[in-house]
Amino acid sequence: MKKLLARLPVIIIGIPTVYWLLVHADNAIKLAFFAVIALIGQYELVSMLEKSCRKPILEWLSSCIILTSSYFGERALYASLVVCVVLAMLTTVFRGLKGDGTKYFCHVIFSIFYLPFCLSCYYLLSLNIGGMALFMILASVWALDIGAYIVGMTLRGPKMAPKISPNKTISGAIGGFICSVAFLNCAAHYGWANLPMPQTVYASLVIAIIGQIADLFESVIKRESDIKDSGKLLGAHGGVLDRIDSLLFLGPLCYFIYTLSV
């Protein structure tokens, strides 16, 4: 209960802020919001992966290039991704033989895809289906987390991945799945947002499954880095990555389901 109360201030302030940014802010402000998340997230990610004080200069530059390019559409986004991969290759070559060239390159490429590219897909998605529809998609991920927490704490039972995330249970995973799928399909069915029903059925299943895998994926990174949270920026919530880990990989998937599959 104390942990829940400690998290309330961020929830009370954060959710209305995200709602306003996605639904009412203009595209430039919306893009700036995603850029701030990407830049902070990349700093946390590099700190976890490398356990060093290296500033992710190339990652930050790539974030600016990719997110700015997404303002001009899907083709510009894909082109910028290629440009940033080439930049990573060149940087790796110019760094010379330091014994960590391959690891450095892999970390940069992963960071570029994990944050700015995935977040750019959310930005493009908001242009295609609207800010309110995107907010409902994000809310379905929050419903996944809330449902998993409440059902898991109530029913408990066998652990889902005890070595990776000791607090997660199979009952919680099932409860979160049901809550997420039910929420997003209700949003489409009752017209809470402009979400086409056929695609929403597929999207809800993808979100409920991949969202939980993505959460565990970040837990693997944290466990192998021997840290509890990705950062301390959000207090009891941990770092930025701790709050968006379930969302990131869903960006390209939801973009494909709602736009490219039409």
Side-chain angles (χ1 to χ4, degrees), residues 217-232:
F217 174 77
E218 202 228 353
S219 294
V220 169
I221 297 176
K222 290 191 290 187
R223 289 288 173 187
E224 294 189 344
S225 302
D226 197 28
I227 60 172
K228 183 178 181 293
D229 296 317
S230 66
K232 299 180 180 179

Side-chain angles (χ1 to χ4, degrees), residues 1-5 7 142-156 167-169 171-173 175-176 179:
M1 181 59 71
K2 289 183 179 180
K3 185 182 291 187
L4 181 61
L5 291 174
R7 292 182 174 185
W142 300 332
L144 172 66
D145 292 338
I146 294 170
Y149 178 80
I150 293 175
V151 175
M153 290 297 292
T154 303
L155 300 181
R156 298 187 181 276
N167 293 326
K168 288 183 171 59
T169 61
S171 63
C179 288

Side-chain angles (χ1 to χ4, degrees), residues 144-213:
L144 172 66
D145 292 338
I146 294 170
Y149 178 80
I150 293 175
V151 175
M153 290 297 292
T154 303
L155 300 181
R156 298 187 181 276
K159 304 291 185 180
M160 183 167 63
K163 292 185 178 180
I164 297 175
S165 187
N167 293 326
K168 288 183 171 59
T169 61
I170 294 176
S171 63
I174 296 172
F177 178 93
I178 294 172
C179 288
S180 178
V181 171
F183 177 87
L184 193 58
N185 280 281
C186 283
H189 179 74
Y190 292 106
W192 300 345
N194 184 27
L195 288 167
M197 197 66 209
Q199 288 94 329
T200 298
V201 173
Y202 298 125
S204 65
L205 296 174
V206 168
I207 289 169
I209 296 172
I210 303 300
Q212 300 194 64
I213 296 174

Side-chain angles (χ1 to χ4, degrees), residues 24-106:
H24 298 294
D26 63 34
N27 292 336
I29 294 176
K30 197 181 301 182
L31 196 59
F33 168 65
F34 286 126
V36 170
I37 294 175
L39 296 176
I40 297 173
Q42 285 180 318
Y43 181 82
E44 294 178 353
L45 185 61
V46 168
S47 299
M48 287 193 294
L49 292 176
E50 301 186 8
K51 298 182 180 179
S52 67
C53 297
R54 177 176 78 84
K55 292 183 179 179
I57 303 299
L58 180 57
E59 290 90 335
W60 285 342
L61 175 61
S62 298
S63 279
C64 293
I65 293 173
I66 290 173
L67 283 158
T68 301
S69 298
S70 68
Y71 187 83
F72 301 98
E74 179 187 312
R75 290 187 177 182
L77 170 61
Y78 294 149
S80 68
L81 182 62
V82 174
V83 169
C84 290
V85 171
V86 173
L87 281 176
M89 292 169 60
L90 288 171
T91 304
T92 303
V93 171
F94 286 127
R95 286 178 79 248
L97 298 176
K98 295 186 177 182
D100 66 343
T102 302
K103 183 175 74 172
Y104 171 83
F105 178 77
C106 291

Side-chain angles (χ1 to χ4, degrees), residues 238-257:
V240 168
L241 284 180
D242 292 318
R243 291 301 92 212
I244 64 173
D245 53 2
S246 300
L247 293 167
L248 288 171
F249 286 125
L250 293 171
L253 293 172
C254 288
Y255 182 74
F256 173 80
I257 291 171

